[in-house]
Amino acid sequence: DGGITQSPKYLFRKEGQNVTLSCEQNLNHDAMYWYRQDPGQGLRLIYYSQIVNDFQKGDIAEGYSVSREKKESFPLTVTSAQKNPTAFYLCATSLGREPLIDTQYFGPGTRLTVL
Amino acid sequence: AQTVTQSQPEMSVQEAETVTLSCTYDTSESDYYLFWYKQPPSRQMILVIRQEAYKQQNATENRFSVNFQKAAKSFSLKISDSQLGDAAMYFCAYRDTTGTYKYIFGTGTRLKVLA
């Protein structure tokens, strides 16, 4: 089946630990994104990548890191520098090629809780 | 910088009735894309409808339609014959065509459907 998978669904972290959230896609999309969702604040962009081995910071990149070594994968690491990491994290992909309408499709999300 | 505003944090509609969700945006671009996404309690983001700014005709998808007013920078979503399954958070999103594949989301409107 084509789609976007995120794992794990729920993740618990102790303060001071780094954790990595997985995002994999088999849609052959070039562009991938990470969003953070907090109650009442909508979606905020953390990082995005338009092609392999290239990525850009979004609006709230501090305390996060990413890599894009393969087209299919865009893992997000939440580092100990992130002050308030408890949130719902969404991964998205889009075709990333003009002139088609570039619609984003989303994975099921990961709920991260800091204990 | 572009912004997206959803001024209605919460709306209610009676089953089988019609409801309109508001979205305004600010941009200096002439060509862009607009989207409405639905996020049900499962938290899976689902594309509802999309509109290309250069098209004057309003997009329609079954019971969902938009009222796109480019001069007013308004993009409202109309849901006809509301069903219980329409209850969700609805997010308006904007993306321009400048080559960076960034999306900007509003803060969302929670829609309640009353039986």
Side-chain angles (χ1 to χ4, degrees):
Chain A
D1 285 348
I4 305 165
T5 57
Q6 290 186 243
S7 61
K9 187 173 182 178
Y10 299 98
L11 185 58
F12 298 90
R13 189 195 93 171
K14 293 182 180 179
E15 285 195 28
Q17 284 183 337
N18 292 355
V19 291
T20 298
L21 283 59
S22 170
C23 178
E24 303 278 334
Q25 57 106 353
N26 60 5
L27 300 172
N28 199 33
H29 284 178
D30 286 332
M32 297 187 74
Y33 313 76
W34 275 106
Y35 291 94
R36 170 178 171 143
Q37 187 176 25
D38 296 280
Q41 294 195 44
L43 278 69
R44 292 185 292 169
L45 183 65
I46 304 172
Y47 270 98
Y48 67 104
S49 168
Q50 296 179 216
I51 56 171
V52 175
N53 292 322
D54 186 51
F55 48 82
Q56 286 77 40
K57 292 182 179 180
D59 301 318
I60 55 165
E62 184 176 350
Y64 300 96
S65 66
V66 293
S67 63
R68 187 83 188 276
E69 297 176 1
K70 299 187 300 182
K71 186 175 185 177
E72 300 79 17
S73 179
F74 191 41
L76 174 73
T77 297
V78 184
T79 74
S80 56
Q82 170 51 232
K83 301 299 183 198
N84 184 22
T86 294
F88 187 65
Y89 291 86
L90 283 161
C91 176
T93 73
S94 69
L95 197 60
R97 298 165 221 159
E98 300 289 359
L100 298 174
I101 292 179
D102 191 65
T103 300
Q104 279 194 342
Y105 298 93
F106 286 83
T110 292
R111 174 69 183 176
L112 173 63
T113 302
V114 174
L115 303 174
Chain B
Q2 295 91 350
T3 58
V4 176
T5 301
Q6 293 180 252
S7 59
Q8 306 154 316
E10 191 170 294
M11 295 279 286
S12 296
V13 62
Q14 205 71 33
E15 197 175 5
E17 297 295 310
T18 296
V19 65
T20 299
L21 308 184
S22 300
C23 173
T24 59
Y25 57 93
D26 187 25
T27 183
S28 58
E29 302 293 332
S30 60
D31 196 16
Y32 46 86
Y33 306 135
L34 296 164
F35 307 84
W36 278 99
Y37 283 88
K38 170 185 177 180
Q39 188 179 42
S42 68
R43 305 198 79 170
Q44 174 74 56
M45 293 281 283
I46 303 163
L47 176 69
V48 175
I49 201 165
R50 61 190 180 198
Q51 174 84 40
E52 297 148 275
Y54 67 84
K55 288 187 176 179
Q56 293 188 350
Q57 186 174 7
N58 289 325
T60 300
E61 288 286 343
N62 301 313
R63 297 183 295 108
F64 299 88
S65 61
V66 298
N67 183 6
F68 173 48
Q69 302 288 332
K70 191 172 184 178
K73 296 180 183 176
S74 172
F75 183 61
S76 59
L77 174 69
K78 185 172 84 171
I79 306 174
S80 304
D81 185 25
S82 296
Q83 301 174 0
L84 295 177
D86 294 333
M89 284 289 290
Y90 286 82
F91 292 94
C92 178
Y94 163 99
R95 204 216 110 189
D96 62 38
T97 61
T98 57
T100 64
Y101 294 87
K102 283 182 65 174
Y103 285 65
I104 299 168
F105 285 83
T107 53
T109 295
R110 181 173 300 282
L111 179 65
K112 296 184 176 180
V113 181
L114 309 174

